[in-house]
Coordinates of all heavy atoms in Angstrom, one line a residue:
M1 N 34.6 38.9 75.2 CA 34.8 39.6 73.9 C 36.1 40.3 74.0 O 36.3 41.1 74.9 CB 33.6 40.5 73.6 CG 33.7 41.2 72.3 SD 32.4 42.4 72.0 CE 30.9 41.5 72.2
S2 N 37.0 40.1 73.0 CA 38.3 40.8 73.1 C 38.1 42.2 72.6 O 37.1 42.6 71.9 CB 39.3 40.1 72.2 OG 39.0 40.3 70.8
D3 N 39.1 43.1 72.9 CA 39.0 44.5 72.5 C 39.0 44.6 71.0 O 38.4 45.6 70.5 CB 40.2 45.3 73.1 CG 40.0 45.5 74.6 OD1 38.8 45.4 75.1 OD2 41.0 45.9 75.3
A4 N 39.6 43.7 70.3 CA 39.6 43.8 68.8 C 38.3 43.6 68.2 O 38.0 44.1 67.1 CB 40.6 42.7 68.3
T5 N 37.4 42.8 68.9 CA 36.0 42.6 68.3 C 35.0 43.4 69.0 O 33.8 43.3 68.6 CB 35.7 41.1 68.5 OG1 35.7 40.8 69.9 CG2 36.6 40.2 67.7
R6 N 35.4 44.2 69.9 CA 34.4 45.1 70.6 C 34.0 46.3 69.7 O 34.8 46.8 69.1 CB 35.1 45.6 71.9 CG 34.1 46.2 72.9 CD 34.8 46.4 74.2 NE 33.8 46.8 75.2 CZ 34.1 47.3 76.3 NH1 35.3 47.4 76.7 NH2 33.1 47.6 77.1
P7 N 32.7 46.6 69.7 CA 32.3 47.7 68.9 C 32.9 49.0 69.3 O 33.3 49.2 70.5 CB 30.8 47.8 69.2 CG 30.4 46.5 69.8 CD 31.6 46.0 70.5
T8 N 33.2 49.9 68.4 CA 33.8 51.2 68.6 C 33.0 52.3 68.0 O 32.1 52.1 67.2 CB 35.2 51.2 68.1 OG1 35.1 51.1 66.6 CG2 36.1 50.2 68.7
A9 N 33.2 53.5 68.5 CA 32.6 54.7 68.0 C 33.7 55.7 67.9 O 34.6 55.8 68.7 CB 31.5 55.2 68.9
E10 N 33.6 56.5 66.8 CA 34.6 57.6 66.7 C 33.9 58.9 67.2 O 32.8 59.2 66.9 CB 35.0 57.8 65.2 CG 36.0 58.9 65.0 CD 36.5 59.0 63.6 OE1 36.2 58.1 62.8 OE2 37.2 59.9 63.3
I11 N 34.6 59.5 68.1 CA 34.2 60.8 68.7 C 35.2 61.9 68.4 O 36.3 61.6 68.1 CB 33.9 60.7 70.2 CG1 35.2 60.4 70.9 CG2 32.8 59.6 70.5 CD1 35.1 60.6 72.4
T12 N 34.7 63.1 68.5 CA 35.6 64.2 68.2 C 35.5 65.2 69.4 O 34.5 65.6 69.8 CB 35.2 65.0 66.9 OG1 35.3 64.1 65.9 CG2 36.2 66.1 66.7
L13 N 36.7 65.5 70.0 CA 36.8 66.5 71.1 C 37.8 67.6 70.7 O 39.0 67.2 70.3 CB 37.3 65.8 72.3 CG 36.4 64.7 72.9 CD1 37.1 63.9 74.0 CD2 35.0 65.2 73.3
L14 N 37.4 68.8 70.6 CA 38.2 69.9 70.2 C 38.9 69.7 68.9 O 40.1 70.0 68.7 CB 39.3 70.2 71.3 CG 38.8 71.0 72.5 CD1 40.0 71.2 73.4 CD2 38.1 72.2 72.2
G15 N 38.1 69.1 68.0 CA 38.6 68.9 66.6 C 39.5 67.7 66.5 O 40.0 67.4 65.4
R16 N 39.8 66.9 67.5 CA 40.6 65.8 67.5 C 39.8 64.5 67.6 O 38.9 64.4 68.5 CB 41.7 65.8 68.6 CG 42.7 64.7 68.5 CD 43.8 64.9 69.5 NE 44.6 63.7 69.5 CZ 45.5 63.5 70.4 NH1 45.7 64.3 71.4 NH2 46.2 62.4 70.3
S17 N 40.0 63.5 66.7 CA 39.2 62.3 66.7 C 39.8 61.2 67.6 O 41.0 61.1 67.7 CB 39.1 61.8 65.2 OG 38.4 62.6 64.4
Y18 N 38.9 60.5 68.2 CA 39.3 59.4 69.1 C 38.3 58.2 68.8 O 37.2 58.4 68.5 CB 39.1 59.7 70.6 CG 39.9 60.9 71.0 CD1 39.4 62.2 70.9 CD2 41.1 60.7 71.6 CE1 40.2 63.3 71.4 CE2 41.9 61.8 72.1 CZ 41.4 63.1 71.9 OH 42.1 64.1 72.4
V19 N 38.9 57.0 68.7 CA 38.1 55.8 68.6 C 38.0 55.2 69.9 O 39.0 54.9 70.6 CB 38.8 54.8 67.5 CG1 38.0 53.5 67.5 CG2 38.8 55.5 66.2
I20 N 36.8 55.0 70.4 CA 36.5 54.6 71.8 C 35.7 53.2 71.7 O 34.7 53.1 71.0 CB 35.7 55.6 72.5 CG1 36.3 57.0 72.5 CG2 35.4 55.1 74.0 CD1 37.6 57.1 73.3
A21 N 36.2 52.2 72.4 CA 35.4 51.0 72.5 C 34.2 51.2 73.5 O 34.3 52.0 74.4 CB 36.3 49.9 73.1
C22 N 33.1 50.5 73.2 CA 32.0 50.6 74.0 C 31.1 49.4 73.9 O 31.3 48.6 72.9 CB 31.2 51.9 73.7 SG 30.5 52.0 72.0
A23 N 30.2 49.2 74.8 CA 29.4 48.0 74.8 C 28.4 48.1 73.6 O 28.1 49.2 73.2 CB 28.6 47.9 76.1
P24 N 28.1 46.9 73.1 CA 27.1 46.9 71.9 C 25.8 47.7 72.3 O 25.3 47.5 73.3 CB 26.8 45.4 71.7 CG 28.0 44.7 72.3 CD 28.4 45.6 73.5
G25 N 25.4 48.5 71.3 CA 24.2 49.3 71.5 C 24.4 50.6 72.3 O 23.4 51.3 72.4
E26 N 25.5 50.8 72.9 CA 25.8 52.0 73.7 C 26.4 53.1 72.9 O 26.7 54.2 73.4 CB 26.7 51.6 74.8 CG 26.1 50.7 75.8 CD 24.9 51.3 76.6 OE1 25.0 52.4 77.1 OE2 23.8 50.6 76.7
E27 N 26.6 52.9 71.6 CA 27.3 53.9 70.8 C 26.5 55.3 70.8 O 27.2 56.3 71.0 CB 27.4 53.4 69.3 CG 28.3 52.2 69.2 CD 27.6 50.9 69.3 OE1 26.5 50.9 69.8 OE2 28.2 49.9 68.8
P28 N 25.2 55.3 70.7 CA 24.5 56.6 70.7 C 24.7 57.3 72.0 O 24.9 58.6 72.0 CB 23.0 56.2 70.5 CG 23.1 54.9 69.8 CD 24.3 54.2 70.3
K29 N 24.8 56.6 73.1 CA 25.0 57.3 74.4 C 26.4 57.8 74.5 O 26.6 58.9 75.1 CB 24.7 56.3 75.6 CG 23.3 55.9 75.7 CD 23.1 54.9 76.9 CE 21.6 54.5 77.0 NZ 21.4 53.5 78.0
L30 N 27.4 57.1 74.0 CA 28.7 57.5 74.0 C 28.9 58.8 73.1 O 29.5 59.8 73.5 CB 29.7 56.5 73.5 CG 31.1 56.9 73.2 CD1 31.8 57.3 74.6 CD2 31.9 55.8 72.6
E31 N 28.2 58.8 72.0 CA 28.3 59.9 71.1 C 27.6 61.2 71.7 O 28.1 62.3 71.6 CB 27.7 59.6 69.7 CG 28.5 58.6 69.0 CD 27.8 57.9 67.8 OE1 26.6 58.2 67.6 OE2 28.4 57.1 67.1
R32 N 26.5 60.9 72.4 CA 25.8 62.0 73.1 C 26.7 62.6 74.2 O 26.9 63.9 74.3 CB 24.5 61.6 73.7 CG 23.7 62.6 74.4 CD 22.4 62.1 74.9 NE 21.7 63.1 75.6 CZ 21.0 62.8 76.7 NH1 20.9 61.6 77.2 NH2 20.4 63.8 77.4
A33 N 27.4 61.8 75.0 CA 28.3 62.2 76.0 C 29.4 63.0 75.4 O 29.9 64.0 76.0 CB 28.8 61.0 76.9
A34 N 29.9 62.5 74.3 CA 31.1 63.1 73.7 C 30.7 64.5 73.2 O 31.5 65.5 73.3 CB 31.6 62.3 72.5
R35 N 29.5 64.7 72.6 CA 29.0 66.0 72.1 C 28.9 66.9 73.3 O 29.3 68.1 73.2 CB 27.7 65.9 71.4 CG 27.8 65.3 70.0 CD 26.5 65.5 69.2 NE 25.3 64.9 69.9 CZ 24.9 63.7 69.8 NH1 25.6 62.8 69.1 NH2 23.8 63.2 70.5
Y36 N 28.4 66.5 74.5 CA 28.3 67.3 75.7 C 29.7 67.7 76.1 O 29.9 68.9 76.4 CB 27.6 66.5 76.8 CG 27.1 67.4 77.9 CD1 25.9 68.0 77.9 CD2 28.0 67.5 79.0 CE1 25.5 68.7 79.0 CE2 27.6 68.3 80.1 CZ 26.3 68.9 80.1 OH 26.0 69.7 81.2
L37 N 30.6 66.8 76.2 CA 32.0 67.1 76.6 C 32.6 68.0 75.7 O 33.3 69.0 76.1 CB 32.8 65.8 76.8 CG 34.3 66.0 77.2 CD1 34.4 66.7 78.5 CD2 34.9 64.6 77.3
D38 N 32.4 67.8 74.4 CA 33.1 68.7 73.4 C 32.6 70.1 73.5 O 33.3 71.1 73.4 CB 32.8 68.2 72.0 CG 33.5 69.0 70.9 OD1 34.8 69.1 71.0 OD2 32.9 69.5 70.0
R39 N 31.2 70.3 73.8 CA 30.7 71.7 74.0 C 31.3 72.3 75.2 O 31.7 73.5 75.2 CB 29.2 71.6 74.1 CG 28.5 71.5 72.8 CD 27.0 71.7 72.9 NE 26.3 70.9 73.9 CZ 25.8 69.7 73.7 NH1 25.8 69.2 72.4 NH2 25.2 69.0 74.6
A40 N 31.5 71.5 76.3 CA 32.1 72.1 77.5 C 33.5 72.5 77.2 O 34.0 73.5 77.6 CB 32.0 71.0 78.6
M41 N 34.3 71.6 76.5 CA 35.7 71.9 76.3 C 35.8 73.1 75.3 O 36.7 73.9 75.5 CB 36.4 70.6 75.7 CG 36.5 69.5 76.7 SD 37.2 68.0 76.0 CE 38.9 68.5 75.7
T42 N 34.9 73.1 74.3 CA 35.0 74.2 73.4 C 34.7 75.6 74.1 O 35.4 76.6 73.8 CB 34.0 74.0 72.2 OG1 34.3 72.8 71.6 CG2 34.0 75.1 71.2
G43 N 33.8 75.6 75.0 CA 33.5 76.8 75.8 C 34.7 77.2 76.6 O 35.0 78.4 76.6
I44 N 35.4 76.3 77.2 CA 36.6 76.7 78.0 C 37.7 77.2 77.1 O 38.4 78.2 77.3 CB 37.0 75.5 78.8 CG1 36.0 75.2 79.9 CG2 38.4 75.7 79.4 CD1 36.2 73.8 80.6
H45 N 37.8 76.5 75.9 CA 38.9 76.9 75.0 C 38.6 78.3 74.4 O 39.5 79.1 74.2 CB 38.9 75.9 73.8 CG 40.0 76.2 72.8 ND1 41.3 76.1 73.0 CD2 39.8 76.6 71.5 CE1 42.0 76.4 71.9 NE2 41.1 76.7 71.0
A46 N 37.3 78.6 74.2 CA 37.0 79.9 73.7 C 37.3 81.0 74.7 O 37.7 82.1 74.3 CB 35.5 80.0 73.4
Q47 N 37.3 80.7 76.0 CA 37.6 81.7 77.0 C 39.1 81.9 77.2 O 39.6 83.0 77.5 CB 37.0 81.3 78.4 CG 35.5 81.3 78.4 CD 35.0 80.8 79.7 OE1 35.7 80.5 80.7 NE2 33.7 80.7 79.8
N48 N 39.9 80.8 76.9 CA 41.3 80.9 77.0 C 42.0 80.0 76.0 O 42.2 78.8 76.4 CB 41.8 80.6 78.5 CG 43.2 80.9 78.7 OD1 44.0 81.0 77.7 ND2 43.6 81.0 79.9
S49 N 42.3 80.4 74.9 CA 42.8 79.6 73.8 C 44.3 79.2 74.1 O 44.8 78.3 73.3 CB 42.7 80.2 72.5 OG 43.5 81.5 72.5
L50 N 44.9 79.7 75.1 CA 46.3 79.3 75.4 C 46.4 78.1 76.3 O 47.5 77.5 76.4 CB 47.0 80.5 76.2 CG 47.1 81.8 75.4 CD1 47.7 82.9 76.2 CD2 47.8 81.6 74.1
L51 N 45.2 77.6 76.8 CA 45.3 76.4 77.6 C 45.5 75.2 76.8 O 45.0 75.1 75.7 CB 43.9 76.2 78.4 CG 43.6 77.3 79.5 CD1 42.2 77.0 80.1 CD2 44.7 77.2 80.6
G52 N 46.2 74.2 77.3 CA 46.4 72.9 76.6 C 45.2 72.0 76.7 O 44.3 72.2 77.6
S53 N 45.1 71.1 75.8 CA 44.0 70.2 75.8 C 43.8 69.4 77.1 O 42.6 69.2 77.5 CB 44.1 69.1 74.6 OG 44.2 69.8 73.4
E54 N 44.8 69.0 77.7 CA 44.7 68.2 79.0 C 44.1 69.1 80.0 O 43.2 68.7 80.8 CB 46.1 67.7 79.4 CG 46.0 66.9 80.7 CD 47.4 66.4 81.1 OE1 48.1 65.8 80.2 OE2 47.7 66.5 82.3
R55 N 44.5 70.3 80.2 CA 44.0 71.2 81.2 C 42.5 71.6 80.9 O 41.7 71.6 81.8 CB 44.8 72.5 81.3 CG 44.3 73.5 82.4 CD 45.4 74.4 82.8 NE 45.0 75.4 83.7 CZ 45.0 75.2 85.0 NH1 45.4 74.1 85.5 NH2 44.5 76.2 85.8
I56 N 42.2 71.7 79.6 CA 40.8 72.0 79.2 C 39.9 70.8 79.6 O 38.8 71.0 80.1 CB 40.7 72.3 77.7 CG1 41.4 73.7 77.4 CG2 39.3 72.2 77.2 CD1 41.5 74.0 75.9
A57 N 40.5 69.6 79.3 CA 39.7 68.4 79.6 C 39.5 68.3 81.1 O 38.3 67.9 81.6 CB 40.4 67.1 79.1
V58 N 40.5 68.6 82.0 CA 40.3 68.5 83.4 C 39.3 69.6 83.9 O 38.4 69.3 84.7 CB 41.7 68.7 84.1 CG1 41.5 68.9 85.6 CG2 42.6 67.5 83.9
M59 N 39.4 70.8 83.3 CA 38.4 71.8 83.7 C 37.0 71.4 83.3 O 36.1 71.7 84.1 CB 38.9 73.1 83.1 CG 40.1 73.7 83.7 SD 40.8 75.2 82.9 CE 39.5 76.3 83.5
A60 N 36.9 70.9 82.1 CA 35.5 70.5 81.7 C 35.0 69.3 82.6 O 33.8 69.3 82.9 CB 35.6 70.0 80.2
A61 N 35.9 68.4 82.9 CA 35.4 67.3 83.8 C 35.0 67.8 85.2 O 34.0 67.4 85.7 CB 36.6 66.3 84.0
L62 N 35.7 68.8 85.7 CA 35.3 69.4 87.0 C 34.0 70.1 86.9 O 33.1 70.0 87.7 CB 36.4 70.3 87.5 CG 37.7 69.7 88.0 CD1 38.8 70.7 88.3 CD2 37.3 68.9 89.3
N63 N 33.8 70.9 85.8 CA 32.5 71.6 85.6 C 31.4 70.6 85.4 O 30.3 70.8 86.0 CB 32.6 72.5 84.3 CG 33.5 73.7 84.6 OD1 33.8 74.1 85.7 ND2 34.0 74.3 83.5
I64 N 31.6 69.6 84.7 CA 30.5 68.6 84.5 C 30.2 67.9 85.8 O 29.0 67.6 86.1 CB 30.8 67.6 83.3 CG1 30.8 68.4 82.0 CG2 29.9 66.5 83.3 CD1 31.4 67.6 80.8
T65 N 31.2 67.5 86.5 CA 31.0 66.9 87.8 C 30.3 67.8 88.8 O 29.4 67.3 89.5 CB 32.4 66.5 88.4 OG1 33.0 65.6 87.5 CG2 32.2 65.8 89.8
H66 N 30.6 69.1 88.7 CA 29.8 70.0 89.6 C 28.4 70.1 89.2 O 27.5 70.0 90.0 CB 30.5 71.4 89.4 CG 29.7 72.5 90.1 ND1 29.7 72.6 91.5 CD2 28.9 73.5 89.7 CE1 28.9 73.6 91.8 NE2 28.4 74.2 90.7
E67 N 28.1 70.1 87.9 CA 26.7 70.1 87.4 C 26.0 68.8 87.9 O 24.8 68.9 88.3 CB 26.7 70.1 85.8 CG 27.1 71.4 85.2 CD 27.2 71.3 83.7 OE1 26.7 70.3 83.1 OE2 27.8 72.2 83.1
L68 N 26.7 67.7 87.7 CA 26.1 66.4 88.2 C 25.7 66.4 89.7 O 24.6 66.1 90.1 CB 27.0 65.3 87.9 CG 26.6 63.9 88.4 CD1 25.3 63.4 87.8 CD2 27.7 62.9 88.2
L69 N 26.7 66.9 90.5 CA 26.5 66.9 91.9 C 25.3 67.9 92.3 O 24.5 67.6 93.2 CB 27.8 67.3 92.7 CG 28.9 66.2 92.5 CD1 30.2 66.7 93.2 CD2 28.4 64.9 93.1
E70 N 25.3 69.0 91.6 CA 24.2 69.9 91.9 C 22.8 69.3 91.5 O 21.9 69.4 92.2 CB 24.4 71.2 91.1 CG 25.5 72.1 91.6 CD 25.2 72.7 92.9 OE1 24.1 73.3 93.1 OE2 26.1 72.7 93.8
T71 N 22.8 68.6 90.4 CA 21.6 68.0 90.0 C 21.1 66.9 90.9 O 20.0 66.8 91.3 CB 21.7 67.4 88.5 OG1 22.1 68.5 87.6 CG2 20.5 66.7 88.0
L72 N 22.1 66.1 91.4 CA 21.8 65.0 92.4 C 21.3 65.6 93.7 O 20.3 65.1 94.3 CB 23.0 64.2 92.6 CG 23.5 63.3 91.4 CD1 24.8 62.6 91.8 CD2 22.4 62.3 91.1
E73 N 21.9 66.7 94.1 CA 21.4 67.4 95.3 C 20.0 67.9 95.1 O 19.1 67.7 96.0 CB 22.3 68.5 95.7 CG 22.0 69.2 97.0 CD 23.0 70.2 97.4 OE1 24.2 70.1 97.1 OE2 22.6 71.2 98.1
Q74 N 19.7 68.5 94.0 CA 18.3 69.0 93.7 C 17.3 67.8 93.7 O 16.2 67.9 94.2 CB 18.3 69.8 92.4 CG 19.0 71.1 92.5 CD 19.1 71.7 91.1 OE1 18.7 71.2 90.1 NE2 19.7 72.9 91.0
Q75 N 17.8 66.7 93.1 CA 16.9 65.5 93.1 C 16.6 65.0 94.5 O 15.5 64.7 94.8 CB 17.5 64.4 92.2 CG 16.7 63.2 92.1 CD 17.3 62.1 91.3 OE1 18.4 62.3 90.8 NE2 16.7 60.9 91.3
R76 N 17.6 64.9 95.3 CA 17.4 64.5 96.7 C 16.5 65.5 97.4 O 15.6 65.0 98.2 CB 18.8 64.4 97.4 CG 19.5 63.1 97.1 CD 20.7 62.9 98.0 NE 21.7 64.0 97.9 CZ 22.7 64.0 97.1 NH1 22.9 63.0 96.2 NH2 23.6 65.0 97.1
D77 N 16.7 66.8 97.2 CA 15.8 67.7 97.9 C 14.4 67.6 97.4 O 13.4 67.6 98.2 CB 16.2 69.2 97.6 CG 17.5 69.5 98.3 OD1 18.0 68.8 99.2 OD2 18.2 70.6 97.9
S78 N 14.2 67.3 96.1 CA 12.8 67.1 95.6 C 12.2 65.8 96.1 O 11.0 65.8 96.5 CB 12.9 67.0 94.0 OG 13.3 68.2 93.5
E79 N 13.0 64.8 96.3 CA 12.5 63.5 96.8 C 12.1 63.7 98.3 O 11.0 63.2 98.7 CB 13.5 62.4 96.7 CG 13.7 62.0 95.3 CD 14.9 61.0 95.1 OE1 15.6 60.8 96.1 OE2 15.1 60.5 94.0
R80 N 12.9 64.5 99.0 CA 12.5 64.8 100.4 C 11.2 65.6 100.5 O 10.4 65.3 101.4 CB 13.7 65.5 101.2 CG 14.8 64.6 101.6 CD 15.8 65.3 102.5 NE 16.6 66.3 101.9 CZ 17.7 66.1 101.3 NH1 18.3 64.9 101.3 NH2 18.4 67.1 100.7
S81 N 11.1 66.6 99.6 CA 9.8 67.4 99.6 C 8.7 66.5 99.3 O 7.6 66.6 99.9 CB 10.0 68.5 98.6 OG 10.9 69.4 99.0
L82 N 8.8 65.6 98.3 CA 7.7 64.8 97.9 C 7.4 63.8 99.0 O 6.2 63.5 99.3 CB 8.1 64.0 96.6 CG 7.1 63.1 96.0 CD1 5.8 64.0 95.6 CD2 7.6 62.5 94.7
D83 N 8.4 63.3 99.7 CA 8.1 62.4 100.9 C 7.3 63.1 101.9 O 6.4 62.6 102.5 CB 9.4 61.8 101.4 CG 10.1 60.8 100.5 OD1 9.4 60.2 99.6 OD2 11.3 60.5 100.7
A84 N 7.7 64.4 102.2 CA 7.0 65.1 103.3 C 5.6 65.4 102.9 O 4.7 65.3 103.7 CB 7.8 66.4 103.5
L85 N 5.4 65.8 101.6 CA 4.0 66.0 101.1 C 3.2 64.7 101.2 O 2.0 64.7 101.6 CB 4.0 66.5 99.7 CG 4.5 68.0 99.5 CD1 4.6 68.3 98.0 CD2 3.5 68.9 100.2
S86 N 3.8 63.6 100.9 CA 3.1 62.3 100.9 C 2.7 62.0 102.3 O 1.6 61.5 102.6 CB 4.0 61.2 100.3 OG 3.3 60.0 100.4
E87 N 3.6 62.2 103.3 CA 3.3 62.0 104.7 C 2.1 62.9 105.2 O 1.2 62.4 105.9 CB 4.5 62.2 105.6 CG 5.6 61.1 105.4 CD 6.8 61.4 106.2 OE1 6.8 62.2 107.1 OE2 7.9 60.8 105.8
R88 N 2.2 64.2 104.8 CA 1.1 65.1 105.1 C -0.2 64.6 104.6 O -1.3 64.7 105.2 CB 1.4 66.5 104.7 CG 2.5 67.2 105.5 CD 2.8 68.6 105.0 NE 1.6 69.4 104.9 CZ 1.5 70.5 104.2 NH1 2.6 70.9 103.5 NH2 0.4 71.3 104.2
L89 N -0.2 64.2 103.3 CA -1.4 63.7 102.7 C -2.0 62.5 103.4 O -3.2 62.4 103.7 CB -1.2 63.4 101.2 CG -2.4 62.9 100.4 CD1 -3.5 63.9 100.4 CD2 -1.9 62.6 99.0
E90 N -1.1 61.5 103.8 CA -1.5 60.3 104.5 C -2.1 60.7 105.8 O -3.2 60.2 106.2 CB -0.4 59.4 104.7 CG 0.0 58.7 103.4 CD 1.2 57.7 103.6 OE1 1.5 57.3 104.7 OE2 1.8 57.4 102.5
R91 N -1.5 61.7 106.6 CA -2.0 62.1 107.9 C -3.4 62.8 107.7 O -4.3 62.5 108.5 CB -1.1 63.0 108.6 CG 0.1 62.3 109.2 CD 0.9 63.2 110.2 NE 1.3 64.5 109.6 CZ 2.5 64.7 109.0 NH1 3.3 63.7 108.9 NH2 2.8 65.9 108.5
A92 N -3.5 63.6 106.7 CA -4.8 64.3 106.4 C -5.9 63.3 106.1 O -7.0 63.5 106.6 CB -4.6 65.3 105.3
L93 N -5.6 62.3 105.3 CA -6.6 61.3 104.9 C -6.9 60.5 106.2 O -8.1 60.2 106.3 CB -6.0 60.4 103.8 CG -5.9 61.1 102.4 CD1 -5.3 60.1 101.4 CD2 -7.3 61.5 101.9
A94 N -6.0 60.2 107.0 CA -6.2 59.4 108.2 C -7.1 60.2 109.2 O -7.9 59.6 109.9 CB -5.0 58.9 108.8
D95 N -6.8 61.5 109.3 CA -7.6 62.3 110.2 C -8.9 62.8 109.7 O -9.8 63.2 110.5 CB -6.7 63.6 110.5 CG -5.5 63.3 111.3 OD1 -5.4 62.1 111.8 OD2 -4.6 64.1 111.3
A96 N -9.2 62.6 108.4 CA -10.5 63.1 107.8 C -11.6 62.1 108.3 O -11.3 60.9 108.6 CB -10.4 63.0 106.3
P97 N -12.8 62.6 108.4 CA -13.9 61.8 108.8 C -14.0 60.6 107.8 O -14.0 60.8 106.6 CB -15.1 62.7 108.7 CG -14.6 64.1 108.8 CD -13.2 64.0 108.2
G98 N -14.1 59.4 108.3 CA -14.2 58.3 107.5 C -12.9 57.8 106.9 O -12.8 56.9 106.0
G99 N -11.8 58.5 107.3 CA -10.5 58.2 106.7 C -10.0 56.9 107.3 O -10.4 56.4 108.3
E100 N -9.2 56.2 106.5 CA -8.6 55.0 106.9 C -7.2 55.2 107.4 O -6.4 56.0 106.8 CB -8.6 54.0 105.8 CG -10.0 53.7 105.3 CD -10.0 52.7 104.1 OE1 -8.9 52.1 103.9 OE2 -11.0 52.6 103.4
P101 N -6.7 54.5 108.4 CA -5.3 54.6 108.8 C -4.4 54.1 107.7 O -4.8 53.2 107.0 CB -5.2 53.8 110.1 CG -6.5 53.0 110.2 CD -7.5 53.6 109.2
S102 N -3.3 54.7 107.6 CA -2.3 54.3 106.6 C -1.7 53.0 107.0 O -1.6 52.6 108.2 CB -1.2 55.4 106.4 OG -0.5 55.6 107.6
A103 N -1.3 52.2 106.0 CA -0.7 50.9 106.2 C 0.7 50.9 106.7 O 1.4 51.7 106.4 CB -0.8 50.1 105.0

């Protein structure tokens, strides 16, 4: 599919409109991401209105990346905790009278 026939969505960041190509059916996800980015950029702009759009975009990208990495780390920690609990449960069941060894 050529770029000319590819679906597009119009997004707005800091009051400026952009037309972005995206895969068919992905428009709502793009719009949601744009709203999130716009809120991040607007927050940074509110703190320092003298910053240029490019610097605001970079700062917002860094902040969002930090959020993502923190969330991924929390998810990994949760998965490790769940794995440990699962192992404890399996051992307890195996050690219980009439318990079956785990597979």
